[in-house]
Amino acid sequence: MARLPRLDLPGIPQHIVQRGNNRLPCFLDSDDRQRYLQLLRKALLATGCQLHAYVLMDNHVHLLATPTAAGAVARMMQAVGRNYVVGPAKSLKARSTKAYGQSELACISQKSIFWGLFSGS
């Protein structure tokens, strides 16, 4: 069965969740995390997306980003995923399954963002 199309709304903040395959760890150490952030920065600059917040968990990543054009989030996540998987897979053969699974995406209204920022929730 085909996957449903993702929401792709330029100018609307989107919550992106990226998980490791089988919920395995995405990051083994701080070097992995720094490399991911460097690749994310390059992808953000290349696609014009704006990053508002991020959380790097052991087995998944949360991003709050606003795309400036249709398809920008997909291109950003593809760039990060394609480049990030190569480094750790070379250094650790057991981590070859580290490739990310599907990203989840949800649009967030700007009203709820401001409410969360000012209400402390």
Side-chain angles (χ1 to χ4, degrees):
M1 184 169 137
R3 182 174 20 148
L4 294 174
R6 292 186 176 136
L7 293 173
D8 193 4
L9 305 170
I12 303 297
Q14 299 179 18
H15 176 223
I16 304 156
V17 180
Q18 187 178 36
R19 297 187 186 282
N21 279 348
N22 300 319
R23 299 188 189 249
L24 291 172
C26 300
F27 309 106
L28 289 182
D29 54 28
S30 60
D31 289 341
D32 278 353
R33 286 178 174 80
Q34 286 301 315
R35 184 166 181 277
Y36 181 91
L37 291 174
Q38 289 171 352
L39 292 170
L40 178 61
R41 183 176 189 279
K42 286 181 185 178
L44 287 162
L45 292 172
T47 60
C49 289
Q50 297 175 335
L51 184 67
H52 308 292
Y54 67 88
V55 178
L56 304 181
M57 307 296 286
D58 288 342
N59 67 345
H60 67 284
V61 174
H62 291 271
L63 304 173
L64 180 60
T66 301
T68 56
V73 169
R75 288 190 304 275
M76 176 185 72
M77 298 311 292
Q78 287 171 356
V80 172
R82 285 182 183 148
N83 291 303
Y84 180 69
V85 171
V86 173
K90 282 183 182 175
S91 63
L92 294 170
K93 297 291 183 187
R95 302 256 328 252
S96 62
T97 60
K98 182 178 178 165
Y100 285 103
Q102 297 177 3
S103 299
E104 298 171 23
L105 180 68
C107 289
I108 300 177
S109 73
Q110 291 185 358
K111 212 176 207 181
S112 67
I113 291 172
F114 291 124
W115 176 252
L117 290 174
F118 294 113
S119 69
S121 57

